Amino acid sequence: NAGVTQTPKFRILKIGQSMTLQCTQDMNHNYMYWYRQDPGMGLKLIYYSVGAGITDKGEVPNGYNVSRSTTEDFPLRLELAAPSQTSVYFCASRRKGQGGEKLFFGSGTQLSVL
Amino acid sequence: AQTVTQSQPEMSVQEAETVTLSCTYDTSESNYYLFWYKQPPSRQMILVIRQEAYKQQNATENRFSVNFQKAAKSFSLKISDSQLGDTAMYFCALSLHSWGKFQFGAGTQVVVTP
């Protein structure tokens, strides 16, 4: 059971470049999330999805886009990368329920924008 | 809007001693869940403990326990008999039954010293 898989693990981008962070889960979870974690800080929600075809903004959505065409995949797109997007990005998922279901996290993507 | 606040950026404790981490939250919902997650230097996110708001009894998991004060919207974590392996960032989080989001606080860095 692979759980939540994120690729790549590390990436360096130049200012203005674009990229897609991949996230896939094999647990048939309805809910998926993208967070960013700046050094020494907490996790800020970028986007989340409660099912295929449904996405919504979190606290810090500017500069990012997502799509959810399947239950398994939830890619995060960075357009016109900026130094402020240097961060560690985590994808997470959980099953739909009463709200008490634990989050399963990927191992993170360290992104630097130079 | 829902908020989660951790007011202690860093706490230091000696091995075998006890440390208490503070968390306050705000929500108008009556049905919600609170969590503590641990993030060691490996960056992995580990669920420590979970509390259902409708349960008055405080949750306990081995050396970890919470003090849940619903009226005060307070959810503190007590780590007893601290071990070197407890050194990590600890995050408080809120999840609502009616809401797909899973919101984290800014975190408290716990350092356990010999």
Side-chain angles (χ1 to χ4, degrees):
Chain A
N1 191 344
V4 179
T5 303
Q6 284 183 242
T7 56
K9 293 192 184 303
F10 304 93
R11 185 71 185 267
I12 298 174
L13 284 182
K14 293 182 179 179
I15 295 172
Q17 286 185 321
S18 299
M19 77 164 294
T20 299
L21 279 66
Q22 301 292 344
C23 177
T24 187
Q25 51 90 11
D26 62 358
M27 297 172 282
N28 201 32
H29 286 170
N30 292 94
Y31 292 178
M32 294 189 75
Y33 305 82
W34 275 106
Y35 293 92
R36 60 175 286 173
Q37 184 178 25
D38 298 333
M41 304 294 287
L43 285 83
K44 294 185 177 179
L45 182 63
I46 305 171
Y47 273 96
Y48 69 105
S49 169
V50 298
I54 306 169
T55 63
D56 206 350
K57 296 177 181 179
E59 304 168 80
V60 289
N62 292 342
Y64 306 95
N65 277 299
V66 294
S67 60
R68 183 97 182 271
S69 57
T70 66
T71 298
E72 294 78 20
D73 300 308
F74 190 42
L76 177 70
R77 178 81 177 164
L78 278 72
E79 303 282 1
L80 299 175
S84 62
Q85 293 178 305
T86 293
S87 191
V88 177
Y89 292 82
F90 287 98
C91 179
S93 73
R94 63 172 176 163
R95 62 181 176 87
K96 182 179 178 180
Q98 298 299 308
E101 296 69 30
K102 66 176 279 189
L103 278 181
F104 290 79
F105 283 85
S107 57
T109 296
Q110 173 76 60
L111 175 67
S112 296
V113 182
L114 305 174
Chain B
Q2 280 60 229
T3 60
V4 180
T5 303
Q6 294 179 250
S7 58
Q8 304 153 312
E10 185 167 334
M11 301 281 285
S12 183
V13 60
Q14 287 191 315
E15 262 187 306
E17 297 295 308
T18 296
V19 63
T20 300
L21 312 183
S22 300
C23 173
T24 59
Y25 61 94
D26 190 25
T27 178
S28 57
E29 300 276 336
S30 58
N31 191 1
Y32 55 89
Y33 295 79
L34 294 159
F35 301 77
W36 279 98
Y37 272 83
K38 168 184 176 180
Q39 187 183 43
S42 66
R43 228 166 55 185
Q44 182 184 8
M45 292 289 288
I46 302 165
L47 176 64
V48 174
I49 202 163
R50 169 174 41 197
Q51 174 78 42
E52 299 166 68
Y54 63 86
K55 286 189 176 180
Q56 291 189 349
Q57 185 174 7
N58 289 322
T60 300
E61 288 287 342
N62 300 314
R63 297 182 294 107
F64 298 89
S65 61
V66 297
N67 184 1
F68 175 47
Q69 300 291 324
K70 190 171 183 177
K73 295 183 178 176
S74 171
F75 183 61
S76 61
L77 174 70
K78 184 170 79 172
I79 307 174
S80 303
D81 187 25
S82 297
Q83 301 175 359
L84 294 177
D86 295 333
T87 292
M89 184 77 92
Y90 287 80
F91 295 103
C92 180
L94 169 68
S95 170
L96 305 180
H97 170 54
S98 62
W99 194 52
K101 292 181 185 178
F102 198 104
Q103 186 153 344
F104 288 85
T108 297
Q109 176 68 49
V110 172
V111 178
V112 181
T113 57

